[in-house]
Amino acid sequence: GIATLLGLVLGEELTQGLLALDPIRTMYGLELWRPFTAATFLGPPSIGWLMSGYYLFEYGSSLERAYGTAQHLVFLLSQVGLLSVLSVLFGQPFFANSVITSMLHVLSRSMPNQKVKWLVFTVPYWALPYGLMASDVLQAGNAAAALPH
C-alpha cells in the first residue's frame, strides 16, 4: 500500500529507482530498505494489485493465526532474505508476488485439506495455488504467467 502510494506520487521511473532491489546500492550505499520495498511493491493500482493485497492480508493472517506472530515474523524475514538473494541472481527488482506464492505454498502443505474461501469458491488449500495460477494466466492473457514468479 505505502510503496504503491509512493509510486503514484513519484512516478514509475523514479519509483523503480528508489524502491527496486539493487544489490550494489543496498550493500555499499547502505540503502537497507530496498529488500523490504522490493518485497512489498505490488506495482501500479489495478485489479491484480487489489487481488495481491487481498491475498497478502488473507493468507498472511492465516499463517499468523496458525503459527503465531513470532513464527510469522521469522517466516517473513527469512522469505525476504532468501527471495532477495534469488531476485538478485535472476535480475528481478521486485518480488511481492513471490512472497504471496511462498505463503500459499506453506499453507497448502501444512493444512492441505482445510477449506478456504477463494473468490466465490470454497476449495481445499492444496488446490489454491492452482487456482491462483489459472487466475494469473487469465488476467495476463498469456500462458507464460503460469510460471512461478
Side-chain angles (χ1 to χ4, degrees), residues 39 56 75-76 79-80 83 95-104:
L56 275 173
F75 170 78
L76 287 175
Q79 287 305 303
V80 167
L83 290 170
F95 53 88
N97 286 332
S98 298
V99 174
I100 295 168
T101 304
S102 68
M103 286 183 197
L104 222 46

Side-chain angles (χ1 to χ4, degrees), residues 1-71:
I2 293 172
T4 300
L5 180 62
L6 189 60
L8 286 174
V9 171
L10 296 176
E12 188 174 336
E13 189 173 324
L14 186 57
T15 300
Q16 290 200 5
L18 184 63
L19 302 179
L21 182 62
D22 182 350
I24 303 301
R25 294 176 89 176
T26 302
M27 290 187 299
Y28 298 116
L30 292 179
E31 296 178 1
L32 302 177
W33 68 82
R34 288 185 177 272
F36 299 102
T37 56
T40 58
F41 185 67
L42 298 171
S46 65
I47 296 296
W49 179 82
L50 283 174
M51 295 303 291
S52 293
Y54 170 76
Y55 295 148
L56 275 173
F57 174 77
E58 184 66 29
Y59 306 132
S61 48
S62 292
L63 269 177
E64 187 174 8
R65 279 192 303 275
Y67 293 105
T69 303
Q71 286 284 8

Side-chain angles (χ1 to χ4, degrees), residues 71-90:
Q71 286 284 8
H72 187 243
L73 180 63
V74 168
F75 170 78
L76 287 175
L77 291 175
S78 66
Q79 287 305 303
V80 167
L82 179 66
L83 290 170
S84 292
V85 170
L86 292 173
S87 293
V88 167
L89 290 175
F90 291 112

